[in-house]
Amino acid sequence: MDNLNLGPLPGSARKGILTYLSISAVVYLLMMLAGLVMRLSQAGIIGVPPDFFYQLMTAHGAGMVGISGLAASAVLWYFLRRYVELTIGILWANLAFFLIGVVLILGGIFIGGYGGAWTFLFPLPSHSMGAWSVGAAASFMLGLLLIGVGFLLFYLDIARAILSKYRSFPRALGWPQLFANSDAPMPPATIVAATMVVIVNTMGIVAGAVVIVIMLVNLFMPSFAVDALLTKNLIYFFGHVFINATIYQAVIAVYELLPEYTKRPWKVNKAFLAAWSASSLMVLAVYPHHLLMDFSMPVWMAVAGQILSYANGIPLVVVTAYGALTIVHKSGIKWNIASGLLFLSMFGWAAGVIPAIIDATVAANNVMHNTMWVPGHFHFYLLVGLVAMLFGFMYYLVHKEDQGSSWIDRSAFLLYVIGAIGFAGMFLVSGMNSVPRRWAAHLPEWVSYSQIASVFAILVVIGATLFAIRFITRLPQARTV
Ligand code: HEM
Ligand SMILES: [Cu+2]
């Protein structure tokens, strides 16, 4: 099951990938600025009216998760094409759906005034107490739906491509090697990860589409009653799977690029296959860790949510981080910004899992639920893990071997690392001190946390701006293979 060695990327595919990533770099910057404005306002440094705060929060939450999906899918597509034949038209179709969806979402938020958060939990969209119209909420949800349709096409094409080469998902996940001692060569790491993502994200997106349609009907026809707990389950199932899958796609850059930088292969072994297969099931089943405080949930689901969070959170990050350490150890790797960011991302992902697992523990969640601990854990592994992987990939695409990294690159890296760890850390500290999340107005006792966090956020924004400028100004020299 070797590489297809498809040779140079066709021009339209190369343009597609670079367009995905350029849009992502710009949107990341804009959304980071929105985040900074929120934090500055919680710090009392600038005054933001509450309704606008919640609009920003909605745009930031939905925008960050959506753009992470887009950027991570570019990583997946770029590397998967080394092994199977993908449809370039679908790459563009996904982008088109995405952009139309974004227009509807932004219109719903900033023209219509929708500020009910990305979670659009019932009955917020339909019961805004006059803050926004039904049309605004509908525009927001319809935008999400269109983005989902684009991603569904994207994953169906990938499923087709994988199945036409491996004939079944279990074979692409390496089950014959894992369970039947088959001595066929192991499937490449990229195929394993892509297969897992296709399975789980397709289910997540379909669940998301179903619940959006239900909520849309209810919005215009309130007599079509909605079960608040059922819709909450569907929404968190979809949200949990979608954001986790962004990491599972972006980590392919680690599997493909660390070998390139260290000139050693990424060894797929049974532990690796077992971790990915187990996570394919568990990532679907752990979402009740978002509903631990919903007393009407069956107790067994909360228990399963806690236990499976431990079981799912650890193996994948362990096989990946351990693999990264062993491949780099004594390899004489030449560090540059790309390999540095990818290596940093291993730390960010692994370290971020720890506060996540604490939060998924019922006893801790009793205290931490809806505190800043929650944005603390996910900003940690998203900023220091996921986004580091993505910027690392962008650097790789436009960086020439002989170019070295300038002091600007190195300062950007340093600013980003310090800023991201400090910023996420301050959310965790705020959470430990019981500062609630999602509050536009903060008590005087909380303001100093937000002030320190704002300084770190500014470092992140400067670092990320330098990364983005580097990427976009060097696009003409981007790789063609
Ligand atoms: C400079 C970087 C960033 C800053 C300054 C920032 C700031 C913020 C702030 C202030 C909040 C609201 C916290 C609260 O009161 O509950 C927030 C929420 C959030 N952020 Fe960020 N953020 C940044 C980067 C990111 C990134 C990279 C992602 C994802 C890839 C992300 C995803 C989210 C999500 C999903 C929420 C939750 C929104 C909600 O509660 O509905 N953020 N962020
Ligand atoms: Cu979750």
Side-chain angles (χ1 to χ4, degrees):
M1 307 247 178
D2 295 315
N3 282 10
L4 270 183
N5 283 329
L6 287 167
L9 264 182
S12 58
R14 176 172 175 274
K15 231 182 255 159
I17 294 294
L18 296 178
T19 311
Y20 269 52
L21 293 171
S22 312
I23 293 176
S24 304
V26 173
V27 173
Y28 268 129
L29 279 187
L30 290 175
M31 291 297 113
M32 283 180 179
L33 286 173
L36 176 62
V37 168
M38 281 191 282
R39 212 62 178 121
L40 285 170
S41 138
Q42 290 172 335
I45 296 171
I46 56 174
V48 173
D51 54 346
F52 187 57
F53 178 94
Y54 292 113
Q55 291 165 21
L56 279 181
M57 192 188 86
T58 305
H60 176 87
M64 281 295 196
V65 174
I67 207 63
S68 297
L70 192 78
S73 69
V75 177
L76 171 71
W77 203 94
Y78 180 86
F79 290 116
L80 191 59
R81 195 194 150 273
R82 293 181 171 177
Y83 308 96
V84 297
E85 229 156 327
L86 301 170
T87 314
I88 299 170
I90 299 280
L91 183 71
W92 285 101
N94 182 29
L95 186 65
F97 275 105
F98 189 88
L99 294 176
I100 301 170
V102 167
V103 170
L104 286 175
I105 289 175
L106 289 179
I109 296 175
F110 292 113
I111 301 175
Y114 175 74
W118 78 263
T119 39
F120 57 92
L121 285 179
F122 180 82
L124 257 183
S126 52
H127 291 57
S128 74
M129 314 282 285
W132 58 80
S133 64
V134 163
S139 178
F140 178 83
M141 291 196 277
L142 206 59
L144 289 185
L145 190 62
L146 285 183
I147 292 176
V149 171
F151 275 113
L152 202 55
L153 289 175
F154 181 87
Y155 291 121
L156 288 177
D157 182 54
I158 291 179
R160 174 205 54 72
I162 292 177
L163 287 176
S164 67
K165 181 157 172 189
Y166 290 86
R167 293 202 293 287
S168 78
F169 286 147
R171 289 168 51 115
L173 288 170
W175 283 12
Q177 290 85 342
L178 188 57
F179 296 119
N181 281 322
S182 153
D183 45 17
M186 296 279 186
T190 299
I191 292 288
V192 176
T195 305
M196 182 268 211
V197 167
V198 162
I199 296 171
V200 304
N201 232 6
T202 305
M203 294 202 208
I205 291 169
V206 168
V210 165
V211 69
I212 289 174
V213 170
I214 293 175
M215 300 271 295
L216 277 171
V217 175
N218 169 270
L219 207 53
F220 292 103
M221 214 172 70
S223 60
F224 177 83
V226 163
D227 181 322
L229 191 62
L230 175 66
T231 49
K232 186 172 182 184
N233 272 270
L234 286 166
I235 289 169
Y236 274 100
F237 174 75
F238 144 71
H240 170 90
V241 169
F242 191 83
I243 192 62
N244 276 270
T246 63
I247 301 185
Y248 303 150
Q249 293 168 90
V251 75
I252 291 174
V254 174
Y255 296 151
E256 292 281 347
L257 296 183
L258 283 186
E260 229 171 288
Y261 286 123
T262 56
K263 310 221 167 18
R264 290 170 165 181
W266 185 282
K267 285 237 174 62
V268 172
N269 53 25
K270 284 191 176 181
F272 182 94
L273 294 176
W276 275 91
S277 284
S279 277
S280 315
L281 296 175
M282 288 191 290
V283 73
L284 301 172
V286 298
Y287 81 89
H289 61 204
H290 295 276
L291 293 100
L292 294 179
M293 293 304 110
D294 290 75
F295 56 84
S296 44
M297 286 286 285
V299 172
W300 65 265
M301 282 187 86
V303 172
Q306 170 173 330
I307 295 174
L308 291 175
S309 293
Y310 297 177
N312 179 48
I314 297 169
L316 209 51
V317 66
V318 166
V319 293
T320 304
Y322 179 77
L325 283 174
T326 46
I327 199 174
V328 166
H329 182 63
K330 293 198 173 151
S331 66
I333 180 175
K334 279 214 199 76
W335 290 104
N336 60 23
I337 301 296
S339 53
L341 280 168
L342 292 172
F343 202 68
L344 168 71
S345 75
M346 292 293 93
F347 162 74
W349 187 16
V353 162
I354 297 166
I357 280 185
I358 293 177
D359 193 47
T361 306
V362 177
N365 199 272
N366 268 324
V367 191
M368 300 304 207
H369 194 76
N370 278 344
T371 67
M372 287 292 205
W373 186 267
V374 176
H377 86 262
F378 67 71
H379 280 87
F380 206 107
Y381 58 67
L382 292 175
L383 266 176
V384 193
L386 172 73
V387 178
M389 288 173 196
L390 295 170
F391 276 126
F393 177 57
M394 290 185 211
Y395 255 95
Y396 161 83
L397 281 182
V398 297
H399 190 82
K400 289 202 169 125
E401 295 298 322
D402 51 358
Q403 238 162 1
S405 37
S406 68
W407 67 271
I408 301 187
D409 294 316
R410 286 196 296 271
S411 336
F413 183 80
L414 212 63
L415 288 170
Y416 187 82
V417 176
I418 297 172
I421 295 176
F423 175 72
M426 280 316 293
F427 268 147
L428 291 173
V429 171
S430 313
M432 280 164 62
N433 289 284
S434 303
V435 179
R437 71 180 287 208
R438 289 179 162 171
W439 281 28
H442 273 201
L443 296 178
E445 293 86 327
W446 306 335
V447 164
S448 56
Y449 304 123
S450 314
Q451 289 172 342
I452 302 172
S454 298
V455 176
F456 284 121
I458 291 171
L459 302 187
V460 177
V461 170
I462 299 174
T465 307
L466 294 173
F467 289 157
I469 291 177
R470 256 298 187 260
F471 177 67
I472 290 172
T473 55
R474 280 182 177 169
L475 278 176
Q477 71 179 45
R479 283 166 200 267
T480 50
V481 184

